[in-house]
Amino acid sequence: MKKPLVPNYYKANPHLEFLIERMFKGHDDLDTFRHVLSDVGGISARKFSSLLAEEGECVLERADVPYHNKVRIPENSELVSEICREKGWFGSAMPAEYGGTGLPHAINGGIHLMLSEADMATFITAGLTQGVAETLLRFAGPQLQEKYVSRLISDDAKAGLTGAMLLTEPNAGSDLGNVKVKAINYNGVYRLSGEKCFISNPDADVLVVLGREQGAPEGTQGLSMFLVPKYLDDGSRNKWYVQSLENAKLGIHPSPTGTIVFEDAEGYLIGGQQRGFKQMLFLMNRSRLMVGMQALGVAERAFLASVDYASKRIQFGKTLDQLPGMQEVLANMRINIEAATSLVLRSYRFLDDFLKDVNNITAAGMVRILTPLSKYRGAEVGNAMASRAIENLGGYGYIKEYGVERLLRDVKITSIYEGTNDIQALDVFRAQANDKAIFSLFRDAGALLANVRNPKLSPYASRVRKLERDLKVRLMEIYSSSSPRTAAEAEARRFTGDIIALYESALMLDEAQYQIDTDGNHRKAAMAMKYIDDVLPSHGAFRNARASLRFGMIKMLPRYANSLRTGLPPGVRYFDSIV
């Protein structure tokens, strides 16, 4: 087994630790949260990363008996999943009365990040299973809840069930209104027929299926959600099977992806008739937050691999991390990873607030807008960092021995499944059209910027406020155009990127002020200033101010006074502090 890059992913991630400590300051269970995250970080770094260093392949074993095809996952992936279940991580955010540990979703997000840092693919099943359990708690009747929830999140590896959600069909990808799986009602028990494809964990014990009841209207308004078990009450196999696996896929090889065929399979309605699309959006949105964290886990692993290699590889008589070019690269990686982590973890914080009080309008609006932004930004950063890691390692990054090429192959799926990043960008405009959610984000960004009092940071806060004003004007222009829908679709990705830049800038400035107030540390101030200079448009009025502010950083980080006076770029000046 390969030696781990670090002994503990949590201890090696001071930003995640900073966010958790700040978010739960004064919380009665903070010590418990620390212990859980440190436990996950240690096991993921020392044990899981080594066990899962080899990808392995999933195999479909075809049976002679109908409906008994079986999917075999790699042995080490199965072992790691069993350990996660026994640790209670399948039910980490679920209520204690069902056997869960009842942790906040923000802590659960940290767990998913570090598990994905060890190997994104192996932990897809755990996330899906938790999502299915949560969906049943939200929408299903007591009978289905009592029958399945406890077993889905059980810490008994032999008795525990796994879950999967089934949306996609050959002609229904992003456009779910084309779903054709048919459900016929026989006195309250449904029979499902049809095909679903690109299904993660297709051999799951409990399937949540989007289908159309016979006679229901076309389009998304006619969809319902059904629970379809693998085994019926008499112990017999239900009439569905895994037809094939997609083993020729680019990455996530330890996670099976397959096609499922239903042949009058027995299913049970979840919630009510023709409510399936909204219910599935709930499950999908939980998954989208998880996908954002998955991608950031890969980004962290890519960063660690880059730092480790750069500290050992000697070129031009120096290790790579002594070269200004590489210092700038590593500093940029760290800054973007931390900015994105702040965004996604804040999404989880608002989700926790909303679940405590579903009438909390502020939390509802923020969850609505931050969910697509989290998935979009997490996937964007994960893909960029994995690609950058390959370049950092040069030719060694391109071969399997060093493992970073696998990171890129694995993380690519995060910009595709649970809705492509194009769909996430469009969803930002839907969130505004239906819920005015972009304005919720503007208000929260304004509240964050109001906390910024440091004279070195205030001009940067002013630049962020100007970007907010510009975005409001652009939003008005889009909705007042002759074809608002066309304008929104054409502008979606660009506008989404700018909203992310705005919000992450506000988050980083707020964190910088908090760190200065708390312990006088200016690391996050240097990072926030560099981030804003990199991503926000340069306005002439600020150029001289920025130059003088950077010179003023001598007093903030005196260790780098000589570097500042030489005019070195921030990533080089503050390399030791940032990285």
Side-chain angles (χ1 to χ4, degrees):
M1 293 192 295
K2 291 184 178 180
K3 182 180 178 182
L5 292 170
V6 292
N8 189 306
Y9 287 146
Y10 188 56
K11 298 301 181 183
N13 191 341
H15 183 61
L16 178 60
E17 195 170 8
F18 167 87
L19 293 175
I20 296 299
E21 291 291 326
R22 184 184 181 189
M23 189 179 297
F24 294 102
K25 185 177 181 180
H27 196 289
D28 291 342
D29 294 321
L30 179 55
D31 284 341
T32 299
F33 302 158
R34 290 170 179 151
H35 173 76
V36 169
L37 292 171
S38 183
D39 190 29
V40 176
I43 293 175
S44 296
R46 292 192 305 272
K47 188 168 186 175
F48 292 170
S49 63
S50 297
L51 283 172
L52 302 172
E54 300 298 327
E55 283 184 277
E57 293 286 349
C58 298
V59 177
L60 178 62
E61 296 180 350
R62 300 185 181 277
D64 296 330
V65 182
Y67 314 116
H68 280 70
N69 288 357
K70 184 174 179 59
V71 175
R72 297 281 185 192
I73 66 173
E75 183 178 350
N76 281 351
S77 294
E78 188 168 2
L79 171 62
V80 167
S81 292
E82 289 176 359
I83 294 172
C84 286
R85 188 178 283 280
E86 290 167 355
K87 282 283 189 179
W89 298 337
F90 270 64
S92 50
M94 301 301 292
E97 56 263 38
Y98 288 93
T101 52
L103 293 172
H105 282 78
I107 302 299
N108 193 44
I111 291 172
H112 279 295
L113 186 151
M114 291 183 290
L115 293 178
S116 298
E117 199 168 348
D119 174 35
M120 194 192 99
T122 295
F123 302 103
I124 291 173
T125 294
L128 286 171
T129 300
Q130 194 172 105
V132 168
E134 192 173 0
T135 300
L136 294 180
L137 282 179
R138 176 90 175 196
F139 299 113
Q143 186 174 1
L144 290 180
Q145 290 178 356
E146 292 171 9
K147 187 173 183 179
Y148 291 106
V149 172
S150 293
R151 293 186 65 192
L152 283 165
I153 64 174
S154 171
D155 58 8
D156 186 334
K158 293 182 178 180
L161 305 178
T162 64
M165 65 175 187
L166 282 66
L167 286 74
T168 305
E169 298 179 9
N171 293 309
S174 297
D175 184 4
L176 291 174
N178 285 332
V179 162
K180 301 299 182 187
V181 163
K182 181 174 66 176
I184 300 177
N185 188 351
Y186 292 94
N187 298 318
V189 176
Y190 288 79
R191 297 287 178 179
L192 276 71
S193 300
E195 179 181 317
K196 293 286 186 180
C197 61
F198 295 125
I199 304 305
S200 297
N201 193 32
D203 201 16
D205 302 293
V206 181
L207 309 180
V208 170
V209 183
L210 199 62
R212 193 180 308 277
E213 188 173 353
Q214 190 175 42
E218 294 298 311
T220 57
Q221 67 269 25
L223 298 174
S224 298
M225 185 188 290
F226 303 91
L227 184 151
V228 181
K230 180 186 288 186
Y231 291 97
L232 302 177
D233 290 343
D234 62 4
S236 63
R237 277 293 298 258
N238 205 351
K239 294 181 179 180
W240 63 267
Y241 62 96
V242 181
Q243 183 185 63
S244 61
L245 291 182
E246 304 293 344
N247 278 339
K249 60 189 178 183
L250 179 68
I252 59 168
H253 290 184
S255 174
T257 306
T259 296
I260 292 177
V261 176
F262 299 97
E263 296 180 346
D264 286 332
E266 186 171 311
Y268 312 98
L269 185 68
I270 297 174
Q273 294 172 316
Q274 298 176 32
R275 299 178 187 172
F277 184 68
K278 289 185 177 180
Q279 293 169 339
M280 188 58 78
L281 283 179
F282 170 87
L283 174 55
M284 185 183 292
N285 282 335
R286 291 295 186 274
S287 296
R288 284 173 174 172
L289 287 180
M290 182 192 73
V291 170
M293 276 303 193
Q294 284 178 338
L296 290 176
V298 174
E300 289 286 358
R301 182 70 175 267
F303 174 75
L304 289 178
S306 296
V307 170
D308 180 69
Y309 183 82
S311 70
K312 298 173 182 176
R313 175 69 166 170
I314 298 175
Q315 293 287 277
F316 310 107
K318 297 179 180 180
T319 57
L320 294 182
D321 62 2
Q322 293 177 302
L323 302 176
M326 183 57 70
Q327 290 179 341
E328 180 74 5
V329 165
L330 294 175
N332 283 333
M333 291 179 76
R334 190 70 242 152
I335 289 170
N336 278 278
I337 292 170
E338 293 194 9
T341 303
S342 293
L343 188 153
V344 179
L345 206 64
R346 194 164 178 85
S347 306
Y348 277 105
R349 198 209 82 176
F350 279 113
L351 176 60
D352 283 321
D353 290 346
F354 175 71
L355 293 176
K356 290 175 187 173
D357 178 10
V358 294
N359 296 314
N360 186 331
I361 298 175
T362 298
M366 290 304 294
V367 169
R368 179 65 187 90
I369 187 65
L370 288 180
T371 295
L373 292 182
S374 294
K375 201 271 190 183
Y376 183 102
R377 179 60 168 159
E380 180 183 62
V381 170
N383 276 273
M385 297 305 107
S387 179
R388 184 66 247 190
I390 291 177
E391 294 183 40
N392 292 342
L393 271 66
Y396 293 110
Y398 201 67
I399 61 177
K400 289 188 175 182
E401 180 183 353
Y402 282 73
V404 292
E405 56 83 33
R406 176 180 170 188
L407 297 179
L408 183 58
R409 288 190 290 104
D410 284 351
V411 78
K412 187 59 192 174
I413 191 64
T414 63
S415 60
I416 299 171
Y417 65 4
E418 311 306 342
T420 66
N421 270 17
D422 286 326
I423 292 296
Q424 306 310 308
L426 292 174
D427 196 39
V428 168
F429 280 101
R430 280 194 291 268
Q432 176 64 11
N434 297 333
D435 304 296
K436 306 299 181 187
I438 293 177
F439 291 146
S440 296
L441 183 142
F442 286 156
R443 285 191 292 271
D444 193 54
L448 293 168
L449 293 172
N451 295 330
V452 180
R453 305 176 309 280
N454 186 282
K456 303 295 190 297
L457 298 176
S458 293
Y460 283 81
S462 296
R463 291 174 64 191
V464 180
R465 291 189 184 97
K466 184 185 186 307
L467 175 60
E468 180 186 333
R469 294 192 296 271
D470 291 345
L471 288 175
K472 287 178 178 178
V473 171
R474 285 169 60 190
L475 200 59
M476 182 179 67
E477 291 172 346
I478 288 169
Y479 284 113
S480 62
S481 69
S482 59
S483 179
R485 180 172 179 175
T486 299
E489 288 191 14
E491 186 69 10
R493 286 190 76 114
R494 187 162 40 246
F495 192 85
T496 297
D498 287 342
I499 282 185
I500 289 169
L502 165 75
Y503 197 59
E504 288 184 347
S505 295
L507 286 167
M508 294 184 78
L509 286 169
D510 172 69
E511 291 166 5
Q513 183 68 61
Y514 179 83
Q515 190 179 54
I516 291 169
D517 292 343
T518 303
D519 58 17
N521 190 323
H522 293 79
R523 173 182 181 268
K524 291 189 178 297
M527 297 175 76
M529 294 165 76
K530 175 169 168 45
Y531 176 88
I532 292 169
D533 279 340
D534 286 347
V535 303
L536 264 61
S538 180
H539 302 288
F542 290 101
R543 286 172 187 158
N544 292 333
R546 286 208 305 276
S548 62
L549 282 170
R550 286 173 174 172
F551 187 79
M553 289 288 285
I554 295 171
K555 295 180 180 179
M556 301 168 73
L557 291 169
R559 178 179 174 187
Y560 304 105
N562 291 333
S563 296
L564 275 163
R565 292 193 179 98
T566 63
L568 292 175
V572 177
R573 296 174 197 160
Y574 312 129
F575 175 75
D576 290 339
S577 179
I578 292 171
V579 175

